[in-house]
Amino acid sequence: MRNTKKAIYFYLLLFIVVVLPANTLSQEYKYEVGAATGTSFYMGDANKTKLYLHSGISGGALFRYNINFNWALKANIIAGNVSGNSEDSGNVFPFDRNINFSRTFTDIGTQVEFNFLPYSDNYSYLGTKPYSPYLFTGVGLTYASGENSIFSANIPLGIGFKYKLKNRINLGVEFSMRKLFTDNFDLLDNPYGIRSSTLKNKDWYSLTMIFLTWDFSSRTDPCHGM
């Protein structure tokens, strides 16, 4: 009986925290659109640990749907460039193989975001804040040009911070790692001859972006979603 009560309380809490906010506690505006700019770098066989090594520039556009104060869906298209040199890796590759590469890439993807604080510059009586750190993950596609161009799915994993400059203007910064499902981003495809898997022999690239967005499409009753 006690376990049954605990289960009921758990699902009631889950309903209050997740389901109820999605339907009743919503931001004043449904959507955001804006631009982002920043830097990008690669990690893989030619760079195992060094952040921002041979970093390039990146930029793009994003669209966000605010489900409620804590949850949002985001879509982005980002272009950038990365480069690397295997002589910087500290590794010795078979047959003294060395690679110096440069790629331009395009990233198209969608992510789900979780705001740690209820994000809004209105409705302070609901405990909202005009700023919030957040986490995000999702799925995407990457096309990279250059020698042996590639097309691969990616999984973004990231953190960010957003702040409302004004009622309809948001400023933020985010850092993410994009896991690719290929080992050829750096032109070093399985250099040690180790059998590849989902978790091994895959390359990554990273984005550090500053974004500015504008809110639009007001909800007629922001406290009782639409």
Side-chain angles (χ1 to χ4, degrees):
M1 184 67 177
R2 183 175 298 177
N3 290 334
T4 301
K5 287 184 177 180
K6 288 182 178 180
I8 293 173
Y9 291 148
F10 172 78
Y11 286 113
L12 180 60
L13 179 62
L14 184 66
F15 176 81
I16 293 172
V17 172
V18 178
V19 179
L20 184 61
N23 292 309
T24 65
L25 302 178
S26 302
Q27 293 191 38
E28 183 178 359
Y29 296 96
K30 296 179 184 179
Y31 308 116
E32 299 174 36
V33 64
T37 186
T39 186
S40 47
F41 66 91
Y42 138 89
M43 297 191 78
D45 293 311
N47 176 27
K48 292 290 188 181
T49 60
K50 298 176 182 177
L51 301 180
Y52 300 101
L53 182 64
H54 301 298
S55 57
I57 59 173
S58 55
L62 63 94
F63 173 86
R64 182 179 282 120
Y65 169 57
N66 296 302
I67 301 171
N68 56 46
F69 293 143
N70 292 100
W71 293 94
L73 295 175
K74 181 179 67 182
N76 66 253
I77 179 168
I78 296 171
N81 60 66
V82 295
S83 60
N85 190 328
S86 58
E87 292 183 353
D88 298 325
S89 68
N91 295 329
V92 177
F93 296 105
F95 310 109
D96 293 324
R97 184 183 182 189
N98 287 306
I99 290 292
N100 188 347
F101 75 95
S102 178
R103 285 194 184 276
T104 298
F105 67 87
T106 301
D107 179 304
I108 300 174
T110 183
Q111 298 104 46
V112 58
E113 298 179 346
F114 174 71
N115 302 321
F116 285 97
L117 301 174
Y119 182 64
S120 176
D121 61 348
N122 292 313
Y123 326 118
S124 58
Y125 62 92
L126 295 174
T128 60
K129 302 293 182 182
Y131 56 86
S132 180
Y134 62 94
L135 295 174
F136 63 92
T137 188
V139 293
L141 295 172
T142 299
Y143 172 76
S145 62
E147 184 180 350
N148 296 330
S149 62
I150 66 166
F151 185 78
S152 172
N154 73 65
I155 296 179
L157 303 168
I159 59 174
F161 184 86
K162 59 180 70 172
Y163 173 72
K164 279 194 175 288
L165 291 175
K166 293 184 178 180
N167 178 243
R168 302 179 70 169
I169 300 178
N170 307 275
L171 176 67
V173 59
E174 62 181 42
F175 172 86
S176 66
M177 298 294 297
R178 257 72 168 177
K179 175 182 172 57
L180 294 166
F181 289 84
T182 178
D183 192 39
N184 197 33
F185 195 61
D186 53 12
L187 305 181
L188 289 166
D189 189 5
N190 192 12
Y192 297 105
I194 300 174
R195 185 176 179 180
S196 180
S197 70
T198 302
L199 298 178
K200 294 192 300 183
N201 295 355
K202 305 302 179 186
D203 294 326
W204 300 68
Y205 62 94
S206 176
L207 298 170
T208 303
M209 308 293 288
I210 297 174
F211 64 82
L212 188 68
T213 62
W214 180 74
D215 297 342
F216 66 100
S217 188
S218 175
R219 288 182 165 93
T220 57
D221 186 350
C223 291
H224 297 87
M226 291 183 63

